[in-house]
Amino acid sequence: MATPGFAFVPRKLAKSGEKPVKPARQVASSSKIAESTHAKAGEMYAGGGDDSESVRARRQTGRLKQKEAYLDDGAYAALLELALSDHALWSSREMLEIMETNEDGFVPLSYVTSSAPAFAGMTPIPPELALMRCIKSSSVLEGRMVIAEPCQDAWIGQRGGSSAGQGGFEVRRKDWTKVRERIRKYTSFQWDSKTIYVENLPHSVRTVPAVYQFVRELLADGTDPGTSQTESVQIITFPFHRDDKPGTPPPTKSRGFAFVVLLHVKDAEHLLQRWPWSLDSHPSQALVDTPGVVAEAVELGFRCLSKKEWDRLKMEYLSLQRQLLEKTMTSSRPGPSVRVLDAQEQALRQNYTEAKETPVPAPAPAHQTTLPYPADCLVFVKNVHPETNKTTLRSLFTHALGGVASGAADAIDYVDYNKGLDSCLLRLTAPQHARALVAHFSDRKITQASALDSEGAPPAGDTSIEIVLVQGKKEEVYWEKVPEKIRKQAVAKAQGVFEDAAVRNGDQGAGGADAGGKKRKRRKHG
């Protein structure tokens, strides 16, 4: 009977020249440490990693956090170059002081990533070791590692010691000596002359690093081969869109337009000439066949505009927007009707005193009973101060009608005015008050010198307050929007004014008849 083979070789029977083989579990454990270290570094920086069954299992159990997306080395190199550009150092006095305090002009890398506007709102920030690899690929920056002597607290095991002596990574400009000489000579006017507004960016160019690389390639196209474009782009900002809500932080992604600040004026002039704002003088469509970003820029209608021209167009746009808004607000209200004939105007041009002394004939009863509103009691006023108020306007027109002492305070029924407009509507209690007000402002040029001017002043220019009587269809449309109760009250006030005027006229006639004869004395009863 054959004996079965051993499952293992005893140690004493192993060959003396062979080394004992480690168990598979131990080899795997030692290699697993190295593999996991590289896997973690790859997952932290590149956002990658294997999609093995073990990783998927850990995802399902919730023990693996969601991977965070990192950018490539070129993108972080572009952000670091923007963070340490001439414009960034000129605008950030604190960073410039830190670099000047250091003998060699270095600044801590952690300070740059935490305070520079180029890294604002960016999450996650890659490890400093990965950023140092990006700095090595840059032709503008250089970095170094600082090793500090450990403090005594670290040896004796105390906590809470100062971290000022700890090491780290630092970065600086390679041409720091030249930058230090010219950095304080810049002015805001110079930077504005080097700022351009770009529009119709390609869909793949929406982030700051992408715009940075895109503009550099456009500058390299058509320039001298010996010209360096490594320091041309200084800062990139994305303006707010009209759909953005007020109070939101500055956008970190472009919507097809951006502001780009360049280092040299010639670079700005090159882009403005190569990619003008007018599409009529745009580069030839033959460049579409050119490989690279130039063809994509031509196809999408990429164009540039200087900061000065952009400000001018913005002012024109805001002025046009304000005019359209005022026109819309004015058209939403009943406008002034056509003025009456010249002969009638001459007859109505009299001041309020003459209107009071002249007896006003009572209107026809059929006319008063037919209309559901008081006719000829509505006037349209324009060229008032936009910041005035209803109280000031009431005082202004009361003063024009003769003041409170003459009884003009009750002549104005309601001031229909919305703040921000230069026009309003007045509802008066009787037609004679409306005609007197129209005649007063037709004979006199009066304006509001300020928002609280309740007496009026001579106009400084050609603009003065104008009042027009609202009649016909526009008057009817206006009163239809007034509540029925208020309409009835207005009709009652108008009829009451007519009745008072008739009574006053009758009393004056009776007084004149009694003046020629004897007055009858009444006996007093004690």
Side-chain angles (χ1 to χ4, degrees):
M1 182 175 178
T3 58
F6 290 103
F8 65 96
V9 179
R11 184 180 300 176
K12 65 174 66 176
L13 299 179
K15 296 182 180 180
S16 59
E18 297 180 354
K19 295 182 179 181
V21 181
K22 292 183 179 181
R25 182 178 57 84
Q26 297 180 2
V27 174
S29 62
S30 61
S31 61
K32 184 178 180 181
I33 297 175
E35 292 178 359
S36 62
T37 304
H38 292 293
K40 289 180 179 180
E43 291 177 2
M44 287 178 61
Y45 176 62
D50 58 357
D51 200 13
S52 60
E53 296 180 358
S54 60
V55 175
R56 289 196 298 268
R58 290 169 60 188
R59 284 177 180 173
Q60 294 175 359
T61 55
R63 288 177 293 178
L64 181 62
K65 295 182 179 180
Q66 184 179 3
K67 297 180 181 180
E68 298 175 328
Y70 286 91
L71 306 177
D72 55 2
D73 290 359
Y76 287 118
L79 292 175
L80 289 170
E81 292 176 1
L82 290 173
L84 295 177
S85 63
D86 286 21
H87 186 277
L89 297 179
W90 173 80
S91 58
S92 178
R93 297 295 181 183
E94 185 176 356
M95 184 179 295
L96 182 60
E97 291 177 358
I98 294 176
M99 299 181 71
E100 289 180 341
T101 303
N102 193 302
E103 297 179 357
D104 301 327
F106 282 92
V107 61
L109 185 58
S110 59
Y111 178 80
V112 175
T113 57
S114 61
S115 62
F119 287 89
M122 178 173 293
T123 53
I125 301 296
E128 293 186 3
L129 188 60
L131 292 177
M132 287 298 295
R133 183 168 68 249
C134 303
I135 294 174
K136 290 181 179 179
S137 63
S138 173
S139 59
V140 181
L141 308 175
E142 61 181 355
R144 70 180 182 182
M145 182 175 63
V146 179
I147 302 177
E149 182 180 358
C151 59
Q152 185 180 3
D153 295 339
W155 291 101
I156 62 179
Q158 294 182 1
R159 297 182 180 180
S162 176
S163 60
Q166 294 183 0
F169 296 98
E170 294 180 341
V171 61
R172 74 166 181 179
R173 291 276 297 270
K174 290 183 178 181
D175 56 344
W176 165 245
T177 305
K178 298 180 180 179
V179 172
R180 188 174 185 178
E181 294 176 356
R182 66 173 184 259
I183 195 67
R184 298 189 183 277
K185 298 179 181 180
Y186 293 123
T187 61
S188 58
F189 177 78
Q190 293 177 349
W191 289 121
D192 288 342
S193 63
K194 305 172 188 177
T195 304
I196 61 174
Y197 171 77
V198 296
E199 193 175 79
N200 296 335
L201 292 168
H203 298 287
S204 58
V205 182
R206 287 293 186 267
T207 60
V208 172
V211 176
Y212 177 83
Q213 186 64 27
F214 177 74
V215 174
R216 285 182 58 182
E217 293 184 15
L218 292 182
L219 289 172
D221 177 67
T223 58
D224 297 335
T227 305
S228 175
Q229 304 298 334
T230 54
E231 306 173 18
S232 300
V233 182
Q234 294 294 297
I235 185 174
I236 298 171
T237 56
F238 299 139
F240 286 98
H241 193 264
R242 63 176 180 270
D243 297 334
D244 294 337
K245 297 181 179 179
T248 57
T252 57
K253 288 188 178 181
S254 172
R255 295 197 180 186
F257 46 87
F259 282 107
V260 181
V261 181
L262 302 172
L263 182 60
H264 305 290
V265 178
K266 63 179 182 179
D267 295 333
E269 293 177 351
H270 170 73
L271 289 178
L272 293 174
Q273 294 175 1
R274 181 79 170 175
W275 308 94
W277 186 256
S278 177
L279 297 179
D280 297 335
S281 56
H282 213 254
S284 174
Q285 292 293 328
L287 295 176
V288 176
D289 299 332
T290 305
V293 297
V294 177
E296 191 175 3
V298 174
E299 185 177 359
L300 294 176
F302 175 78
R303 55 182 183 172
C304 304
L305 187 68
S306 64
K307 180 67 163 50
K308 182 179 179 180
E309 288 296 314
W310 186 87
D311 291 335
R312 184 182 64 82
L313 292 178
K314 180 182 178 181
M315 294 301 296
E316 292 182 2
Y317 170 78
L318 293 177
S319 177
L320 180 60
Q321 185 186 42
R322 183 169 56 254
Q323 293 176 6
L324 292 176
L325 180 61
E326 292 177 355
K327 185 177 180 180
T328 304
M329 296 295 293
T330 305
S331 61
S332 62
R333 291 185 167 275
S337 62
V338 181
R339 298 179 66 90
V340 294
L341 297 178
D342 294 341
Q344 295 177 350
E345 275 189 345
Q346 295 297 331
L348 291 175
R349 288 187 175 183
Q350 53 187 355
N351 55 27
Y352 185 71
T353 306
E354 296 174 349
K356 282 200 312 175
E357 295 176 354
T358 303
V360 179
H367 178 71
Q368 282 297 110
T369 56
T370 303
L371 296 178
Y373 58 86
D376 300 335
C377 293
L378 181 67
V379 295
F380 176 77
V381 185
K382 63 180 181 179
N383 297 332
V384 299
H385 199 284
E387 299 297 329
T388 188
N389 52 58
K390 295 183 180 180
T391 304
T392 304
L393 290 175
R394 179 182 289 273
S395 301
L396 174 65
F397 298 121
T398 301
H399 179 77
L401 290 174
V404 179
S406 60
D410 299 332
I412 300 176
D413 185 21
Y414 181 71
V415 180
D416 194 350
Y417 172 72
N418 290 330
K419 197 164 187 178
L421 300 180
D422 62 347
S423 61
C424 67
L425 288 163
L426 294 179
R427 299 205 301 255
L428 295 104
T429 55
Q432 62 267 26
H433 300 322
R435 295 189 179 95
L437 198 62
V438 171
H440 180 83
F441 282 90
S442 298
D443 293 335
R444 299 168 179 82
K445 299 294 183 180
I446 300 175
T447 186
Q448 276 190 293
S450 62
L452 300 179
D453 184 7
S454 60
E455 296 183 357
D462 298 334
T463 304
S464 61
I465 297 177
E466 298 181 13
I467 299 181
V468 184
L469 191 65
V470 181
Q471 294 175 322
K473 185 64 176 178
K474 292 185 178 181
E475 182 184 19
E476 182 181 354
V477 172
Y478 174 83
W479 283 105
E480 287 179 355
K481 299 178 181 180
V482 178
E484 183 180 1
K485 181 179 179 180
I486 298 178
R487 288 203 307 266
K488 291 181 178 180
Q489 293 176 357
V491 172
K493 289 180 182 179
Q495 292 178 351
V497 171
F498 288 130
E499 293 174 358
D500 293 342
V503 170
R504 287 197 300 268
N505 294 336
D507 291 342
Q508 290 176 1
D514 294 339
K518 296 182 180 179
K519 294 184 179 180
R520 183 177 180 180
K521 296 182 180 180
R522 306 180 72 176
R523 181 180 297 178
K524 295 182 179 180
H525 299 279

